[in-house]
C-alpha cells in the first residue's frame, strides 16, 4: 500500500479550474477518469480566488469545483497558494517581497517574489492556510495536500530586510556571542571583525562580488532553515485539520534547501517535478552529454534519498516552453519512458503536468497532455496506454529500489562547493562520472546524505563512495569508520576532510579526520594544470587518467599503495591507497572519479552488472529492480528502459514474466526505440 492509498502506482494530473470555463470542468474530469487519471492537483496559484481582498474570504469557487470532483469520483490534492502572493498584498506590504543582493526589491508580475522571513507574510500565510484547511479539509474527495509550490525555484537567495534581521537571529541562536561568530568566520582576516550584531548582514555586493566564504556558508544554511520553518509553519496548521490518511507533501527539489530536514519535520513524503525533455531543448542541448534525459535518473535518486517512496507531482507530458525557449514535443513512447523511469526509481504516484495547455500567460508554450483546443491527441492516447500498463503492475507500489552501491553526499559540502571551486569542480566531476559509470554498467546506486545518516544506514551497501567530503565532522567520520569496520568497502576521493564545519581548513595532517581510517598521509597535493590536462596512474595493469586534482599519497603502516602516478615531478607518489580495517577495507584515491575511473572501481570491487545472471543489455538501456512483498512472498520487478530512438537488443538469461503482456519471455528480445518493459522475476 502506498501513501496515496493504493497498492498500485496511480496517475494524476495538474489542473487549473480557474483557467477554463466552469462548464468544461465536468467533461474534463470525466475524460481524465476515462483515461486512467484518478487524481487532480489544484489551487497552488489561486490565492485571489479565495481571498480577493484582505481579510475577505470566499470559498465558493473551489466548493463548486470539489462538488464536480465528488460527483465524478475524482480525487484531489489541494495546495496552499503561498507561492504567488496577490497584488493587493505586495502593494500594501512591500516588506513581504524578496530582493537582489544589491537590494533591488522584486515586484509583482511573476511568481515566488516573496521572502520567507517577513513577519507580515508569515501572518497572512498562516491565516490563508488556516482558512483553506478549515474550510476544505473535510471534503471526501481530498486525498492530500501540497504546501506552496517548488520552494526555492526561480531563486534560492534572499536579501530582503526581513532576511537580514532573521539572519542575525539565526546567527545569535547558533553562536550566542559575537566573539564566537568572529572566530567561526575568521573575521580577523581582512579586518572583517564585527563589534555589534547590527553590523552583521546577509551577504551584500562587494567589489568582486565575493564575500567571506564562512559567512556565505552560514547564509545558505540560514536560507534552508528559513524554508524549513516556513514549511513547518504551514504543515503544523494543516495537520490540525486534514482528514486521517490524507498526506502532506511539497514538490520539487531546489538549491539551498535541506529537503531531508523539511521532509522529516513537515511532510509525509516528497514529490518531484520531472522534466527530462529539458535535455532536448535546443538552448540546453549538449551533444557530448551521453546521458541526456537519462540524467533524470540521477535526480530521481536524489529524491529517493529523501523519500524512498516518493511521488512525481509534475511529470512531463508535452513540450517545455517559455517565451525564451522553443522545445520539441515528447516523441511517441517518451512519456511512457519517463513515467517508467520515475516508477523504476521509486515513484508510487505520477501526476502529469498539465491537463490542457494554458492559452495565456507566461507558460502558454509549456505544453500539457492536451493542446489548447483540448482535442483528442497522441499524448492522451499514450497516457491511456500507461494507465493500462500500471493496472497490470500490481504489487509495485510500496516496493523498494535495490542498490548495493551508495554515493555519499551532504548539504554542508554542496553549499560549501557553491562558492569554492576547489571543491565544486571535483564534486561535480565525480558525481557525474560515478553516475555515468553506474548507468553504463547497469549498476543501481543510492545517494546517502551523511548528515541524515545513522550508523546503520550504510550497512546495506557493499560499496560506498565518498567522492570529496571536504567538510567532515567527527560524528560523520565515526559513521564511516563503523561501516568499514563492520565489513563495508569505503572509497574516498581526493580532498577529503580538509575543512571543519565552518569551512575553515584544518591544521592536522591531511586527510584530517579520516587519515587513520584510510591509512593515508598526504604530504603534498596539487591541481592538475591545464597544460598537463591529466596524469596517468597505474593500478596493476589498469591505467587511470587522473584529472583536475592529485593528492600525493603515502601509505601508513598496515596500508598499501596500489597505484602510483606515472608522470611529472611526483612520479612514483601514491595515487591509490588500500587499507584493511576491522572486517572491511578502505580505498583512498587521490583524484576524481571520471566515468572511466569509476567504471574501473565498480568492476574491480565486483559490484558492476549485478543482474548479469538475469539480463545482458547495451549501454543505451537502463535497468533497475524494485523489490516488494505480497502475502509474505518477495516479488522483484526488473525495469528495462530504452532511452534511444533506435531498436536495442537485450538478452534474458532466464524466463521472466513480461508484466505488460503477461507472457513469459527468455533469450534475445528487441526493444523498439524508447520502449520500456517491466519483468517480474519468477521463482
Ligand atoms: C514547474 C512548476 C509549474 C510549472 C512547470 C512548467 O516548475 O511547478 O508550476 O511552472 O514547472 O514550467
Amino acid at each position: 500500500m502506498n501513501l496515496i492509498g493504493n497498492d498500485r502506482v496511480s496517475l494524476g494530473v495538474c489542473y487549473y479550474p480557474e483557467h477554463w470555463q466552469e462548464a468544461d470542468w465536468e467533461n474534463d474530469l470525466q475524460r481524465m477518469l476515462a483515461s486512467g487519471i484518478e487524481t487532480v492537483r489544484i489551487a497552488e496559484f489561486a490565492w485571489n480566488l479565495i481571498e480577493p481582498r484582505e481579510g475577505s474570504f470566499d470559498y465558493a469557487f473551489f466548493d463548486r469545483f470539489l462538488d464536480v470532483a465528488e460527483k465524478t469520483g475524482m480525487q484531489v490534492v489541494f495546495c496552499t497558494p503561498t507561492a504567488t502572493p496577490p497584488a493587493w498584498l505586495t502593494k500594501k506590504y512591500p516588506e513581504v517581497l524578496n530582493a537582489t543582493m544589491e537590494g533591488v526589491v522584486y515586484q509583482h508580475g511573476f511568481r515566488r517574489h516573496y521572502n520567507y522571513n517577513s513577519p507580515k507574510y508569515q501572518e497572512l500565510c498562516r491565516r490563508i492556510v488556516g482558512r483553506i484547511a478549515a474550510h476544505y479539509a473535510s471534503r471526501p474527495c481530498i486525498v492530500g495536500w501540497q504546501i506552496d509550490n517548488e520552494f526555492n525555484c526561480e531563486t534560492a537567495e534572499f536579501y530582503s530586510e526581513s532576511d537580514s534581521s532573521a539572519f542575525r537571529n539565526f546567527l545569535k541562536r547558533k553562536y550566542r556571542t559575537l566573539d564566537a561568530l568572529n572566530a567561526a568566520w575568521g573575521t580577523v582576516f581582512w579586518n572583517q571583525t564585527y563589534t555589534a550584531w547590527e553590523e552583521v548582514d546577509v551577504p551584500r555586493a562587494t567589489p568582486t562580488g565575493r564575500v567571506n566564504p564562512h559567512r556565505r556558508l552560514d547564509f545558505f544554511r540560514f536560507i534552508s532553515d528559513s524554508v524549513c520553518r516556513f514549511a513547518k509553519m504551514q504543515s503544523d496548521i494543516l495537520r490540525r485539520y486534514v482528514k486521517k490518511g490524507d498526506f502532506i507533501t511539497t514538490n520539487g527539489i531546489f538549491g539551498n534547501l535541506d529537503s531531508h530536514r523539511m521532509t522529516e519535520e513537515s511532510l509525509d513524503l516528497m514529490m518531484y517535478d520531472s522534466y527530462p525533455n529539458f535535455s532536448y531543448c535546443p538552448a540546453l542541448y549538449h551533444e557530448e552529454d551521453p546521458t541526456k534525459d537519462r540524467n533524470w535518473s540521477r535526480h530521481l535518486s536524489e529524491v529517493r534519498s529523501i523519500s524512498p517512496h516518493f511521488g512525481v507531482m509534475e511529470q512531463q507530458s508535452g513540450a517545455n516552453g517559455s517565451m525564451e525557449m522553443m522545445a520539441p514535443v515528447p516523441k511517441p513512447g517518451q512519456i511512457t519512458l519517463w513515467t517508467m523511469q520515475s516508477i523504476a526509481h521509486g515513484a508510487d504516484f505520477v501526476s502529469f503536468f498539465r491537463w490542457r495547455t494554458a492559452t495565456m500567460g507566461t507558460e502558454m508554450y509549456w505544453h500539457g497532455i492536451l493542446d489548447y483546443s483540448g482535442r483528442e491527441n497522441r499524448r492522451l492516447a499514450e497516457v491511456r496506454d500507461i494507465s493500462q500498463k500500471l493496472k497490470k503492475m500490481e504489487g509495485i507500489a510500496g516496493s523498494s529500489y535495490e542498490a548495493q552501491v551508495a554515493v555519499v553526499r551532504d548539504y554542508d559540502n554542496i553549499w560549501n562547493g557553491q562558492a569554492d571551486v576547489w571543491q565544486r569542480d571535483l564534486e561535480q566531476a565525480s558525481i557525474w562520472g560515478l553516475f555515468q559509470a553506474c548507468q553504463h554498467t547497469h549498476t543501481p546506486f543510492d545517494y546517502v546524505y551523511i548528515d541524515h545518516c545513522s550508523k546503520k544506514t550504510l550497512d546495506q551497501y557493499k560499496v560506498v563512495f565518498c567522492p570529496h567530503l571536504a567538510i567532515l565532522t567527527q560524528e560523520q567520520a565515526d559513521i564511516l569508520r563503523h561501516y568499514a569496520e563492520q565489513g563495508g568497502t569505503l572509497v574516498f576521493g581526493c580532498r577529503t576532510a580538509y575543512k571543519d564545519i565552518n569551512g575553515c581548513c584544518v591544521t592536522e595532517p591531511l586527510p584530517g579526520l579520516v587519515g587513520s581510517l584510510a591509512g593515508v598521509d598526504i604530504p603534498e597535493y596539487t591541481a592538475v594544470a591545464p597544460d598537463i590536462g591529466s596524469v596517468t596512474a597505474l593500478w596493476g595493469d589498469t591505467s587511470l587518467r587522473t584529472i583536475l586534482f592529485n593528492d600525493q599519497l603515502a601509505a601508513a603502516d598496515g596500508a598499501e599503495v596500489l597505484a602510483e602516478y606515472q608522470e611529472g615531478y611526483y612520479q612514483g607518489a601514491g595515487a591509490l591507497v588500500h587499507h584493511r580495517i576491522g572486517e572491511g577495507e578502505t580505498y583512498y584515491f587521490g583524484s576524481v572519479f571520471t566515468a572511466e575511473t569509476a567504471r574501473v572501481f565498480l568492476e574491480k570491487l565486483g559490484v558492476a552488472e549485478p543482474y548479469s545472471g538475469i539480463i545482458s543489455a547495451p549501454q543505451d538501456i537502463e535497468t533497475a529492480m524494485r523489490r516488494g512483498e505480497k502475502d509474505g512472498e518477495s516479488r522483484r520487478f526488473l525495469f528495462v528502459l530504452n532511452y534511444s530512438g533506435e531498436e536495442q537488443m537485450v538478452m534474458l538469461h532466464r524466463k521472466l514474466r513480461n508484466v505488460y503482456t503477461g507472457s513469459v519471455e527468455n533469450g534475445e528480445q528487441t526493444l523498439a526505440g524508447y520502449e520500456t518493459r517491466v519483468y517480474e522475476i519468477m521463482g
Side-chain angles (χ1 to χ4, degrees):
M1 183 83 93
N2 66 15
L3 274 155
I4 311 288
N6 293 323
D7 59 4
R8 64 186 164 75
V9 176
S10 64
L11 294 180
V13 78
C14 303
Y15 189 60
Y16 298 89
E18 65 275 25
H19 294 180
W20 311 104
Q21 301 298 319
E22 281 198 36
D24 293 335
W25 292 351
E26 187 168 336
N27 185 39
D28 278 347
L29 299 199
Q30 298 284 18
R31 284 179 77 197
M32 291 171 196
L33 289 162
S35 307
I37 293 171
E38 297 167 298
T39 306
V40 289
R41 180 198 65 176
I42 58 165
E44 76 273 25
F45 303 122
W47 189 322
N48 261 330
L49 284 168
I50 299 167
E51 190 183 2
R53 284 174 307 285
E54 185 175 1
S56 148
F57 295 89
D58 180 351
Y59 305 102
F61 182 85
F62 285 108
D63 274 339
R64 291 198 298 280
F65 180 78
L66 296 179
D67 288 344
V68 176
E70 274 156 21
K71 181 175 166 201
T72 54
M74 179 62 81
Q75 304 185 131
V76 173
V77 174
F78 210 100
C79 303
T80 69
T82 50
T84 46
W88 59 254
L89 192 161
T90 53
K91 198 71 184 171
K92 181 161 176 202
Y93 305 110
E95 71 263 36
V96 311
L97 294 163
N98 187 13
T100 65
M101 193 185 207
E102 294 75 26
V104 178
V105 176
Y106 295 129
Q107 300 296 327
H108 193 83
F110 200 69
R111 63 176 179 183
R112 303 215 56 79
H113 41 298
Y114 71 89
N115 69 69
Y116 300 109
N117 285 304
S118 147
K120 191 66 193 176
Y121 197 54
Q122 292 174 356
E123 176 197 322
L124 295 171
C125 287
R126 268 196 298 272
R127 186 169 68 180
I128 185 84
V129 172
R131 292 297 184 105
I132 286 177
H135 184 82
Y136 297 113
S138 61
R139 293 295 297 241
C141 59
I142 292 183
V143 294
W145 289 82
Q146 175 186 304
I147 297 176
D148 203 283
N149 188 75
E150 296 193 333
F151 284 124
N152 284 6
C153 178
E154 262 94 39
T155 180
E157 299 197 7
F158 294 82
Y159 300 99
S160 72
E161 287 308 315
S162 308
D163 292 309
S164 249
S165 62
F167 187 43
R168 236 166 267 138
N169 289 336
F170 169 86
L171 296 170
K172 281 182 192 163
R173 285 196 301 275
K174 178 167 180 177
Y175 293 109
R176 300 197 181 278
T177 67
L178 266 185
D179 285 349
L181 178 140
N182 279 316
W185 288 6
T187 53
V188 66
F189 185 81
W190 283 356
N191 201 38
Q192 291 171 1
T193 304
Y194 297 99
T195 54
W197 283 104
E198 294 64 47
E199 295 161 10
V200 185
D201 202 356
V202 291
R204 292 291 183 199
T206 61
T208 60
R210 284 178 278 147
V211 294
N212 175 310
H214 319 294
R215 175 177 168 202
R216 216 178 125 89
L217 178 58
D218 267 341
F219 177 59
F220 294 142
R221 289 174 174 144
F222 155 74
I223 293 170
S224 174
D225 184 69
S226 305
V227 188
C228 288
R229 285 163 178 265
F230 188 75
K232 182 145 189 343
M233 173 187 91
Q234 296 204 26
S235 81
D236 284 350
I237 297 170
L238 290 175
R239 294 253 180 246
R240 294 210 288 271
Y241 297 98
V242 301
K243 300 194 301 296
K244 196 166 175 302
D246 291 358
F247 62 84
I248 298 178
T249 188
T250 191
N251 58 328
I253 44 174
F254 293 90
N256 297 343
L257 172 53
D258 180 340
S259 296
H260 291 71
R261 171 182 160 193
M262 178 174 66
T263 305
E264 281 157 22
E265 286 178 357
S266 304
L267 310 178
D268 294 306
L269 78 166
M270 176 51 101
M271 298 238 187
Y272 181 61
D273 295 344
S274 188
Y275 291 95
N277 203 40
F278 268 123
S279 51
Y280 291 108
C281 294
L284 302 168
Y285 188 77
H286 296 296
E287 185 66 56
E288 69 286 0
D289 169 11
T291 59
K292 308 251 171 354
D293 49 341
R294 200 167 171 175
N295 191 22
W296 267 253
S297 293
R298 192 165 63 79
H299 303 317
L300 290 159
S301 301
E302 291 278 4
V303 189
R304 191 174 60 247
S305 87
I306 303 165
S307 284
H309 305 285
F310 56 89
V312 173
M313 191 58 98
E314 299 181 17
Q315 179 76 56
Q316 179 142 29
S317 66
N320 319 45
S322 63
M323 310 301 274
E324 297 86 30
M325 182 172 65
M326 193 155 58
V329 179
K331 298 187 187 68
Q334 281 185 320
I335 303 177
T336 313
L337 171 67
W338 298 330
T339 303
M340 293 302 168
Q341 178 184 31
S342 293
I343 297 171
H345 278 275
D348 277 357
F349 167 71
V350 178
S351 158
F352 295 103
F353 187 84
R354 50 185 275 162
W355 175 243
R356 199 189 290 116
T357 309
T359 57
M360 72 297 180
T362 312
E363 290 197 338
M364 60 190 169
Y365 297 141
W366 204 291
H367 289 71
I369 299 173
L370 299 176
D371 294 331
Y372 309 112
S373 67
R375 66 193 282 180
E376 171 65 26
N377 69 6
R378 164 177 75 76
R379 304 200 293 283
L380 183 58
E382 192 166 327
V383 167
R384 268 198 297 274
D385 182 63
I386 294 170
S387 83
Q388 291 307 317
K389 289 187 161 74
L390 294 184
K391 279 197 185 130
K392 299 186 184 130
M393 287 165 61
E394 262 188 28
I396 289 194
S399 64
S400 306
Y401 183 86
E402 266 186 14
Q404 300 179 335
V405 173
V407 176
V408 171
R409 310 202 71 188
D410 89 310
Y411 289 102
D412 282 327
N413 279 295
I414 292 171
W415 299 335
N416 179 65
Q418 283 175 180
D420 179 352
V421 296
W422 287 65
Q423 186 187 2
R424 183 192 63 201
D425 289 3
L426 313 181
E427 165 128 357
Q428 283 180 356
S430 288
I431 287 294
W432 187 235
L434 282 160
F435 170 68
Q436 280 189 51
C438 285
Q439 278 286 323
H440 292 155
T441 60
H442 309 105
T443 310
F445 75 94
D446 286 336
Y447 286 120
V448 173
Y449 275 65
I450 195 161
D451 41 358
H452 291 272
C453 212
S454 75
K455 277 196 173 156
K456 289 210 169 90
T457 319
L458 297 175
D459 288 355
Q460 57 181 303
Y461 300 105
K462 276 194 184 159
V463 173
V464 170
F465 287 89
C466 294
H468 312 284
L469 293 175
I471 295 179
L472 194 78
T473 65
Q474 185 63 56
E475 197 188 340
Q476 294 166 353
D478 292 345
I479 290 174
L480 297 176
R481 175 178 285 273
H482 176 83
Y483 165 71
E485 284 177 349
Q486 300 304 304
T489 298
L490 198 53
V491 187
F492 292 107
C494 66
R495 302 291 279 158
T496 298
Y498 73 94
K499 283 187 163 182
D500 68 16
I501 194 68
N502 299 316
C504 300
C505 294
V506 301
T507 51
E508 288 83 27
L510 298 181
L513 289 173
V514 303
S516 68
L517 169 59
V520 166
D521 182 33
I522 305 175
E524 274 212 69
Y525 52 81
T526 181
V528 178
D531 59 329
I532 294 172
S534 68
V535 177
T536 309
L538 210 55
W539 182 2
D541 294 338
T542 313
S543 87
L544 303 175
R545 207 171 56 87
T546 73
I547 61 163
L548 289 177
F549 210 88
N550 288 159
D551 277 343
Q552 294 143 40
L553 314 177
D557 280 354
E560 185 192 359
V561 173
L562 291 185
E564 292 176 353
Y565 296 107
Q566 301 294 304
E567 295 136 22
Y569 70 89
Y570 48 93
Q571 183 182 22
L576 176 65
V577 167
H578 180 235
H579 189 212
R580 290 194 187 287
I581 184 149
E583 304 289 302
E585 57 188 346
T586 66
Y587 292 82
Y588 192 105
F589 180 51
S591 190
V592 302
F593 300 98
T594 60
E596 297 79 26
T597 302
R599 188 176 190 130
V600 171
F601 275 90
L602 293 172
E603 283 167 357
K604 290 211 186 232
L605 300 179
V607 283
E609 301 281 359
Y611 306 122
S612 58
I614 302 175
I615 187 170
S616 300
Q619 282 209 6
D620 279 331
I621 298 273
E622 177 176 5
T623 55
M625 190 78 84
R626 282 185 72 165
R627 178 196 288 272
E629 224 192 66
K630 202 169 181 195
D631 307 327
E633 269 183 41
S634 146
R635 299 179 74 184
R636 292 168 85 209
F637 299 94
L638 175 69
F639 286 73
V640 185
L641 310 173
N642 178 11
Y643 290 89
S644 93
E646 310 293 320
E647 275 187 359
Q648 298 287 329
M649 209 270 286
V650 300
M651 181 67 80
L652 305 184
H653 301 302
R654 52 194 273 195
K655 287 184 187 162
L656 302 177
R657 191 176 70 85
N658 181 328
V659 176
Y660 298 161
T661 62
S663 63
V664 174
E665 293 171 3
N666 196 358
E668 201 174 297
Q669 305 292 320
T670 305
L671 272 74
Y674 308 122
E675 188 181 337
T676 66
R677 298 225 183 142
V678 180
Y679 286 112
E680 179 163 10
I681 312 295
M682 305 190 313

